[in-house]
Amino acid sequence: MLTWKKIINFSIKGNPIPDKRVEKTVAEWKAQLTPEQFRITRLKGTERPHSGALCSIHEAGKYNCVCCNTPLFDSTIKFESGTGWPSFTQPITENAIKYERDTAFGMVRVEVMCNTCDAHLGHVFPDGPEPSGLRYCINSESMQLEKVL
Ligand SMILES: [Zn+2]
């Protein structure tokens, strides 16, 4: 299980190696994504709380990166945080996500990105439910739900 200590270590010493890499030009991402998806994933934007389509959905499935379709989270680790953004306690695999120290807006936070294509997803905080104690706070626009039929 990933812990806050492990995540801080990743953000300082380097991230786990992803299974594969997807790299595209800005023009290619722009052509593929909606303007809002582009703004959030490629320009590190944030959607308004409670605005995301996936915020209050609790259907079974996998939450994949909207840019490269890599599975990032699973519905079994989604929880209702009340923040207005989809929230998870763990990534689907340890190397699905990469972490970087984010000091924007005078705060020290840990930014969460897709480890395959570097899409900005959101942030992770050490105030989630037990046992991991983690809260991944993720933009709906960064993900697409692959439902389990
Ligand atoms: Zn991705």
Side-chain angles (χ1 to χ4, degrees), residues 22 29 42 65-70 72 114-119 121:
V22 172
W29 288 126
R42 310 318 307 184
C65 177
V66 77
C67 294
C68 71
N69 208 36
T70 300
L72 302 172
C114 172
N115 206 10
T116 304
C117 77
D118 299 342
L121 305 172

